[in-house]
Amino acid sequence: MTALTLKPGAVTLAELRRLARGSDPIALAESWRRGVEQSLAAVGKRLAAGEALYGINTGFGKLAKTRISIDELATLQLYLVRSHAAGVGTPLADSTVRLVMALKAASLARGYSGVRPVVIERLLQLINAGIHPLVPGQGSVGASGDLAPLAHMSLALIGEGRVRVGGRELDSAAALKAAGLEPLVLGPKEGLALLNGTQVSTALALEALFAAEDLLIASIITGAMSVDAALGSRTPFDARIHEARGQPGQTAVAAAFRAVLAASEIDHSHENCDRVQDPYSLRCQPQVAGACLQQIADVARVLAIEANGVSDNPLVFGAAGDVLSGGNFHAEPVAFAADNLALAIAETGALAERRIALLIDDSLSQLPAFLVREGGLNSGFMIAQVTAAALASENKLLAHPASVDSLPTSANQEDHVSMATFAARRLHPMAENTRGIVAIELLAAAQGIDFRRPLQTSPALESAHALLRRSVAFYDHDRHFAPDIEAAKSVIDGEEFLKLVPPGLVPSR
């Protein structure tokens, strides 16, 4: 496999997508060491001068006024990691943990954290050895950073806690030994630098961003297929309409629809029909999906900055020799981004569900009721639409903003928190819900296209239809529906399907 070489502070969204979805070895561009060693030297100099440095020779949070003796500095960092590993819940996926470790390594390599190079190297070694710390998903409020989950990640560096290797769970010490690695003894500030930071919430949000991008693209294909299946008009996609408004996301989505709908026999068959306007779920797709695209683009910008930023505390400015306490660990930007992304994910699914409802309604679609012959004997897509409605309804509740919630922690020292980790984590079930809805729309729209035969839809949509029909046959009578939904999910996830929309629509592709 080709190594993915990351430049700290300049990692691209495309590289982050590759990190999140792949298993390539990871390396850092060689220029990182000088800044790291400079900040490490600055910490040593300030400690030698006997200064009080937060979290380096003092306690933490409310205990920051307690000075720690020089011979207990390593113990302070060890105890910090152990005490903060207090997470609960289902462990994060290995792919998420891999991304978290890569983000943490890239952040530490910026040279503002006062750690030894070996800490960064060890994170990369764990990634490349396929050692994934077992990180419970719950326990972070998104300030001071993702303390509990990052502590669980850090346990693996010191040979404590549990990890997964190749899907098998084992003790960290055993995994390190098998990989030929020694447990680290943490130096001054290293535990704090590992635990402080927004890498968990950012990784979760990035994964959801990439899912949202793919779902938006898939929904353009299924939405366009629904237009043809329902004999919808092409007029709402006319470039002049969208240029008159000027919203860039809307304009881009309308162009994507024109591309995938081009050269359809079905369209030509009803050019002189008497229908004046289509329902909004067909006609307003560029407006709704375009707004979703704009949210996705804004979220991508915020997360790209955060993924490249430094979010631990205190920060060490090696050239000046300064150690400054601040609040970059507060994940409010990530929380806001995740809340906004929730809107885009929910609305992508909500509009697709409305199109499914339109297709099964013979008075609107001019297709057989519930998309099946011999209705009554057959129920067709009746309950598949109910499932889509249930998923869309769940997403409405999950879309409630998490960032407006805050509970004080650490005896009111940390008196406002972001809830970014939950804000990002809840995006994953939301994306899965929307994935199910879009998959059901693909099934319904393909069935509608089949009812228009012998007429052909556009070349792009014929390709989409053919991809589905490889694994899901036409519904000539009722059958077990759930396996077909799962098959359709796999279709909309595939690159063959997603590449039917011209490239460049979403930020990371």
Side-chain angles (χ1 to χ4, degrees):
M1 286 186 276
T2 304
L4 176 58
T5 301
L6 307 175
K7 183 178 180 181
V11 183
T12 67
L13 283 168
E15 289 171 333
L16 290 167
R17 176 182 272 269
R18 184 175 161 189
L19 268 172
R21 299 286 179 88
S23 58
D24 295 338
I26 297 171
L28 296 179
E30 281 302 317
S31 57
W32 64 271
R33 291 179 181 276
R34 183 171 177 273
V36 169
E37 290 168 348
Q38 198 172 43
S39 70
L40 177 65
V43 170
K45 184 176 181 181
R46 300 290 290 271
L47 279 175
E51 297 183 39
L53 301 172
Y54 173 75
I56 302 175
N57 60 2
T58 75
F60 306 98
K62 195 77 170 180
L63 303 175
K65 294 180 181 179
T66 304
R67 286 290 293 267
I68 309 299
S69 65
I70 194 75
D71 59 342
E72 292 182 311
L73 297 188
T75 303
L76 174 69
Q77 300 301 311
L78 174 63
Y79 284 1
L80 173 71
V81 173
R82 287 174 172 172
S83 68
H84 283 49
V88 298
T90 303
L92 299 178
D94 290 351
S95 57
T96 306
V97 175
R98 167 185 157 88
L99 182 55
V100 170
M101 290 193 290
L103 292 175
K104 175 57 77 174
S107 176
L108 297 178
R110 290 285 308 277
Y112 295 101
S113 300
V115 303
R116 293 168 297 161
V118 67
V119 176
I120 300 163
E121 292 166 347
R122 186 56 49 84
L123 282 168
L124 297 176
Q125 288 167 335
L126 289 183
I127 293 169
N128 293 335
I131 299 173
H132 303 103
L134 213 62
V135 179
Q138 294 172 276
S140 174
V141 295
S144 297
D146 295 315
L147 293 171
L150 287 172
H152 283 276
M153 178 203 76
S154 302
L155 283 175
L157 297 176
I158 61 175
E160 298 188 11
R162 302 280 284 175
V163 299
R164 276 194 295 245
V165 180
R168 184 171 65 94
E169 188 177 323
L170 67 160
D171 288 335
S172 297
L176 291 179
K177 184 177 180 180
L181 300 173
E182 292 290 329
L184 283 182
V185 176
L186 297 176
K189 196 183 180 299
E190 290 178 348
L192 184 60
L194 286 164
L195 270 57
N196 252 212
T198 63
Q199 285 77 32
V200 174
S201 51
T202 301
L204 288 165
L206 281 167
E207 288 184 318
L209 169 68
F210 303 141
E213 290 178 328
D214 291 352
L215 288 168
L216 183 70
I217 292 171
S219 75
I220 289 172
I221 299 168
T222 60
M225 193 180 287
S226 291
V227 169
D228 247 9
L231 304 181
S233 172
R234 299 300 194 273
T235 301
F237 307 104
D238 190 301
R240 292 168 294 182
I241 294 173
H242 309 287
E243 289 166 0
R245 191 179 204 181
Q247 291 286 355
Q250 176 180 325
T251 300
V253 167
F257 270 101
R258 290 195 301 274
V260 298
L261 282 165
S264 165
E265 290 180 3
I266 295 175
D267 175 43
H268 297 317
S269 73
H270 61 96
E271 287 177 340
N272 298 315
C273 69
D274 58 0
R275 186 188 296 179
V276 178
Q277 290 185 329
D278 293 325
Y280 289 178
S281 60
L282 298 182
R283 186 179 7 141
C284 297
Q285 289 188 81
Q287 287 79 7
V288 178
C292 293
L293 176 59
Q294 193 60 56
Q295 288 292 328
I296 286 170
D298 292 344
V299 168
R301 179 183 56 81
V302 171
L303 295 182
I305 293 170
E306 193 70 14
N308 283 288
V310 182
S311 53
D312 64 282
N313 181 63
L315 297 183
V316 182
F317 296 86
D322 293 332
V323 180
L324 306 179
S325 285
N328 281 2
F329 50 70
H330 200 296
E332 196 84 343
V334 180
F336 278 15
D339 282 346
N340 289 331
L341 189 57
L343 300 179
I345 293 170
E347 283 295 271
T348 298
L351 196 64
E353 185 279 325
R354 288 292 79 206
R355 293 191 296 267
I356 299 165
L358 183 153
L359 290 173
I360 67 172
D361 186 341
D362 57 338
S363 68
L364 293 173
S365 67
Q366 302 174 52
L367 291 165
F370 300 106
L371 297 172
V372 70
R373 297 188 181 99
E374 296 186 73
L377 174 63
N378 293 299
S379 296
F381 280 69
M382 182 187 296
I383 303 304
Q385 186 270 325
V386 172
T387 297
L391 296 174
S393 187
E394 280 189 21
N395 275 355
K396 291 175 187 177
L397 293 177
L398 289 169
H400 184 280
S403 58
V404 296
D405 184 31
S406 178
L407 279 175
T409 60
S410 193
N412 283 307
Q413 175 73 7
E414 298 159 3
D415 57 353
H416 182 277
V417 298
S418 71
M419 298 308 300
T421 317
F422 170 69
R425 181 164 49 81
R426 67 70 145 85
L427 297 174
H428 292 241
M430 291 188 70
E432 185 60 25
N433 287 344
T434 294
R435 181 171 171 249
I437 298 168
V438 174
I440 293 169
E441 184 185 16
L442 175 60
L443 294 169
Q447 185 82 350
I449 293 296
D450 283 331
F451 280 123
R452 302 299 179 193
R453 297 302 190 207
L455 295 174
Q456 298 278 299
T457 184
S458 70
L461 298 181
E462 285 292 342
S463 294
H465 181 277
L467 288 171
L468 177 68
R469 288 290 177 248
R470 288 179 188 174
S471 53
V472 179
F474 174 78
Y475 287 83
D476 54 357
H477 57 79
D478 284 346
R479 62 175 185 256
H480 186 188
F481 217 110
D484 292 340
I485 297 173
E486 293 304 312
K489 286 181 183 180
S490 296
V491 172
I492 66 172
D493 290 342
E495 285 299 314
E496 271 190 282
F497 188 85
L498 296 172
K499 285 180 178 177
L500 295 172
V501 171
L505 183 66
V506 297
S508 78
R509 280 187 169 270

